[in-house]
Amino acid sequence: MEMRQLRYFLAVGEEQHYGRAALRLRVAQPALSRQIQNLEQEIGFELFKRLPRGVKITDAGKLLLDDARRILQEVDDAVARAKRIASGQSGTLRIGFVESISWQGIVPDSLRDFRLRHPDVELQLKSLRTLEQIAAIHSGSLDAGYGLPIANREHGLAHIQIGLIKQVLAVPNGHPLMEKKQIRLKDLVDATFVAFPRWAIPNAYDRLMAACARGGLKAPRVVQQTAVETMILSLVQCGVGVALISSAARWRCPPGVTILPVVDLNVTFPFALMWKENNNSPLLAKLVDNVKCLVDQKGRDNEILGE
């Protein structure tokens, strides 16, 4: 049984007339009649009783007509859904993000704009460290990710820079450093630090430590390490120490913690949207285009988060 035969049968069954059905289908009446006969031979029973004027559908034909109408509608719906996915109008896009840089700014702005433009697309968002994102994008379990390319300079992914994060100082309220008009790295020699460990982002850690050393802070007194920025901020709030953190932390800084600039700490880290070059997803292409437009319109590739 062919889909064409079902469509011919449906037209004849609804019109109860070969001539009108042929006009509706835009086919020759003899060809239509032949296809119905072939269908009847294949299934082994009559679908229509031929009358002097038109035809009358049989009881068996009525039952098959209802099912044929449903089957053809389901096929049409499936094709329409597939076309929407193929054209990038619907489907699923899996995106990773680094939580600490995603509270405000370009990351949520770009996701909001994409949702407005493509409301039928399902966005699956997952909070991951950049190194985890890079591995997931390469394996195909993520389509794209917002992260810090410096985490792995050999990441081998296509990417577009969408901003910068700067290193700032978080101190508990009432800390003596708050009394200074300007804070320099050498002023932090005697301070106790809560810090992120080197294994979290080795390249970023090494750049930060080199900048500290140039400013006179050769060996920060680290009393606690954690790779989770919210925990770093909580420990600062509790007075365990001060911390050098991302400028983006200003957006979720807890009560009792103040963010201060360090005038001679000029270290910034670019963050980017990353994706695999040979990923041919039309949804991914639309996301990349949307992000590029947003960055170009507002000149945000060098925007420093939290400032």
Side-chain angles (χ1 to χ4, degrees), residues 27-203:
V27 298
Q29 184 173 331
L32 173 61
S33 179
R34 187 165 52 252
Q35 286 296 326
I36 296 298
Q37 290 173 2
N38 291 342
L39 178 59
E40 289 176 325
Q41 290 175 3
E42 181 178 345
I43 61 180
F45 57 86
E46 277 189 329
L47 296 170
F48 301 102
K49 294 292 186 181
R50 277 66 178 175
L51 304 175
R53 293 187 177 184
V55 295
K56 181 180 180 181
I57 192 167
T58 64
D59 290 340
K62 290 179 181 178
L63 182 63
L64 184 60
L65 185 67
D66 290 338
D67 287 335
R69 187 180 290 112
R70 175 183 53 80
I71 290 168
L72 290 171
Q73 185 62 55
E74 289 178 353
V75 170
D76 289 343
D77 290 346
V79 171
R81 289 194 299 270
K83 283 183 177 178
R84 289 179 65 81
I85 291 175
S87 64
Q89 293 177 291
S90 66
T92 300
L93 198 60
R94 302 156 302 171
I95 304 173
F97 64 94
V98 174
E99 184 179 351
S100 62
I101 63 173
S102 302
W103 284 72
Q104 289 188 28
I106 187 72
V107 177
D109 286 354
S110 62
L111 294 175
R112 178 202 60 209
D113 284 4
F114 185 82
R115 287 232 37 86
L116 290 173
R117 293 170 184 265
H118 311 287
D120 294 332
V121 175
E122 178 190 3
L123 293 181
Q124 293 183 356
L125 306 177
K126 192 167 185 179
S127 174
L128 294 169
R129 294 187 300 113
T130 300
L131 288 174
E132 294 171 326
Q133 288 186 45
I134 291 172
I137 294 170
H138 277 297
S139 72
S141 59
L142 278 185
D143 294 301
Y146 294 92
L148 307 175
I150 192 175
N152 179 1
R153 293 190 179 93
E154 307 301 321
H155 55 75
L157 299 174
H159 65 284
I160 175 174
Q161 183 171 315
I162 57 176
L164 299 168
I165 57 173
K166 188 176 181 179
Q167 293 298 293
V168 294
L169 183 70
V171 301
N173 287 354
H175 194 282
L177 287 169
M178 294 181 66
E179 298 177 4
K180 290 184 172 292
K181 292 182 178 180
Q182 287 188 330
I183 299 175
R184 296 185 174 275
L185 286 166
K186 64 182 181 181
D187 298 325
L188 307 178
V189 171
D190 296 325
T192 56
F193 278 85
V194 181
F196 70 91
R198 184 179 184 277
W199 59 261
I201 311 182
N203 293 329

Side-chain angles (χ1 to χ4, degrees), residues 163-166 247 251 268 271 300 302-307:
L164 299 168
I165 57 173
K166 188 176 181 179
S247 53
W251 288 321
T268 59
F271 65 99
R300 301 176 73 167
N302 288 311
E303 176 183 50
I304 296 178
L305 287 184
E307 289 194 348

